[in-house]
Amino acid sequence: MSSRFCVLVVAKAPVPGFAKTRLCPPATARQAAEIAAAALLDTLDAVCATPGALPVVAMTGDLGSAARGSEIGRSLRRATVIAQRGWDFGARLANAHADTASVHAGLPVLQIGMDTPQVTPQLLGASIEPVLHGVHDAVLGPAEDGGWWGLGLRDPHHAQVLAGVPMSQEDTGVRTIRALAGVGLSPGPLPELSDVDTMGDAVRVAAEAPRGRFAAAVRAVEGREVA
């Protein structure tokens, strides 16, 4: 099947002491990094299995120092990898969309992060369908914490508005909708998901996707055997 859209994964190398620090305690720094690595690997598997999707990863950080760095490196061979650039997270998101459009011109983009390892190929494909069929010019998937987990755009250049949106705030989702409205877009809604910030989040997400690497890494912190 020919590529119909890009799935852009915005990710950072899961280096112990710098990755998922809000999981500590009960996780150690190494365990938190293992959870982050597992989340990224499960996400990449879902993206690469999505029919019609062209995987792109905007990456930052040192994989040489990361948990499961070699495994992540092998997984990234299935994707177009671009470097993150920008002075803050909003700018890096905007630039990642622009760089994706430069490499794969003319394709709509569905952007996600590495904090929702419960995503499936079915969910990703369904999420971009309203954009592909002209029902919406954009779609936005809210996160339970007030942010968002997914943004789909027919024209990825509209993502430049993200540079002016404060990220990781309780009202980031609302602010993003307002910013998109400012350029004439009215994003259609996607299902709400929980992203992984705390250990409570991790346990809930692991229960939703119990067979992946992520769930196994969470169970290791809980001291339970992996089924």
Side-chain angles (χ1 to χ4, degrees):
M1 178 183 292
S2 60
S3 298
R4 303 167 63 210
F5 61 98
C6 295
V7 179
L8 167 62
V9 182
V10 178
K12 69 176 182 178
V15 177
F18 296 93
K20 290 295 168 198
T21 56
R22 290 176 62 188
L23 302 183
C24 309
T28 65
R30 182 71 193 185
Q31 287 174 324
E34 289 284 341
I35 288 173
L40 176 55
L41 288 164
D42 284 354
T43 299
L44 291 174
D45 280 354
V47 170
C48 292
T50 301
L54 188 62
V56 180
V57 181
M59 196 76 196
T60 189
D62 179 15
L63 276 181
S65 302
R68 304 197 191 189
S70 296
E71 187 178 356
I72 293 170
R74 291 192 296 272
S75 187
L76 288 174
R77 294 173 188 166
R78 301 177 291 173
T80 300
V81 180
I82 57 178
Q84 290 185 32
R85 56 188 181 88
W87 57 91
D88 63 14
F89 192 45
R92 292 199 299 272
L93 293 180
N95 289 334
H97 279 264
D99 292 344
T100 299
S102 295
V103 176
H104 300 298
L107 291 180
V109 174
L110 175 65
Q111 180 240 307
I112 63 173
M114 55 184 282
D115 290 341
T116 50
Q118 71 271 45
V119 295
T120 63
Q122 293 75 23
L123 174 60
L124 296 175
S127 294
I128 198 65
E129 282 297 318
V131 173
L132 294 177
H133 293 295
V135 178
H136 295 291
D137 289 327
V139 290
L140 190 72
E144 291 181 359
D145 61 4
W148 49 268
W149 65 267
L151 170 65
L153 293 170
R154 181 181 300 173
D155 181 354
H157 293 96
H158 283 136
Q160 289 305 306
V161 301
L162 298 177
V165 177
M167 296 292 163
S168 302
Q169 306 292 322
E170 292 182 355
D171 61 350
T172 292
V174 172
R175 285 174 179 260
T176 302
I177 291 173
R178 289 174 182 166
L180 293 169
V183 292
L185 302 181
S186 179
L190 299 179
E192 183 178 83
L193 296 183
S194 174
D195 54 14
V196 177
D197 293 317
T198 67
M199 200 64 200
D201 298 332
V203 171
R204 287 197 306 275
V205 170
E208 294 177 28
R211 299 187 182 279
R213 299 179 188 86
F214 178 81
V218 172
R219 287 194 293 264
V221 175
E222 295 182 301
R224 293 189 281 133
E225 293 185 1
V226 179

